[in-house]
Amino acid sequence: MQSWFQKYRHALWFLLFGVLSAFYFVSQHLGLRYHVVHLPLDDWLPFWPGFIVFYVLWYFYVPVCMLWACFRARDVFYRQVAALFSGAFVCAAVFVLYPTSAAGPGLARALCRLIYANDAPVNVFPSLHCYEALVMHLATFRMPPLRARKRLRLASAVLAILICLSTLLV
């Protein structure tokens, strides 16, 4: 067991996920005055509850990509960690210095209500969903051996795009 911990000591970086997640959820309850992010384009975007599926897939996409890299390609994992956590810290700073919320229609589906109850539509800019989906796609699927797997890269790109669209359409 000790040799496993020595070999995968870098996996301890996953603990930072807990710290960042805790900060994100605590920041929603600091009593900050939120600035509503609304553009005229928002009025033209439809509310598509079905896109909540891709929003939820983000919760699996990021850790699965990181776990793969952690145990298969340590150099990729370090790139993921550097990009993911540096960007997440910048986002966290923005969330406190310029807290934002989304204006939009009421919730139409049970899954949307569940997600909004646990991940309130605040701290919407910059989008951690979009940033982290892009980081996972670029860091994970531009590195060997996944670079040669075109279908997997394409699926990752499509999923990253759908995750980004979900932040607009839900």
Side-chain angles (χ1 to χ4, degrees), residues 58-79:
W58 171 84
Y59 291 103
F60 299 97
Y61 179 64
V62 171
V64 165
C65 288
M66 291 192 75
L67 282 170
W68 176 88
C70 182
F71 296 110
R72 304 278 251 194
R74 186 179 303 182
D75 61 324
V76 174
F77 178 72
Y78 282 129
R79 289 180 190 197

Side-chain angles (χ1 to χ4, degrees), residues 36-46 103-104 168:
V36 175
V37 176
H38 183 83
L39 298 170
L41 175 64
D42 294 332
D43 297 331
W44 291 82
L45 294 173
L168 295 171

Side-chain angles (χ1 to χ4, degrees), residues 1-9:
M1 191 67 147
Q2 185 177 9
S3 65
W4 187 91
F5 282 114
Q6 288 174 332
K7 184 177 180 181
Y8 297 111
R9 181 177 44 232

Side-chain angles (χ1 to χ4, degrees), residues 15-159:
L15 297 176
L16 200 50
F17 259 126
V19 173
L20 287 171
S21 297
F23 179 82
Y24 176 78
F25 288 106
V26 166
S27 72
Q28 294 181 20
H29 303 285
L30 293 177
L32 302 171
R33 278 187 74 184
Y34 288 97
H35 306 273
V36 175
V37 176
H38 183 83
L39 298 170
L41 175 64
D42 294 332
D43 297 331
W44 291 82
L45 294 173
F47 175 63
W48 291 1
F51 267 82
I52 196 70
V53 170
F54 303 110
Y55 189 89
V56 170
L57 280 175
W58 171 84
Y59 291 103
F60 299 97
Y61 179 64
V62 171
V64 165
C65 288
M66 291 192 75
L67 282 170
W68 176 88
C70 182
F71 296 110
R72 304 278 251 194
R74 186 179 303 182
D75 61 324
V76 174
F77 178 72
Y78 282 129
R79 289 180 190 197
Q80 290 173 333
V81 166
L84 189 77
F85 293 139
S86 62
F89 280 120
V90 169
C91 289
V94 172
F95 295 158
V96 172
L97 298 172
Y98 188 75
T100 57
S101 68
L107 303 176
R109 301 281 189 267
L111 188 52
C112 289
R113 284 192 300 274
L114 176 67
I115 292 300
Y116 276 27
N118 294 291
D119 186 1
V122 297
N123 297 333
V124 297
F125 178 80
S127 171
L128 279 173
H129 270 67
C130 294
Y131 176 76
E132 291 180 0
L134 181 62
V135 166
M136 286 304 104
H137 175 70
L138 293 177
T140 306
F141 295 94
R142 286 190 148 188
M143 304 293 168
L146 293 179
R147 187 181 339 177
R149 302 185 76 184
K150 290 183 181 181
R151 287 185 183 172
L152 191 56
R153 271 194 350 222
L154 178 62
S156 172
V158 168
L159 181 57

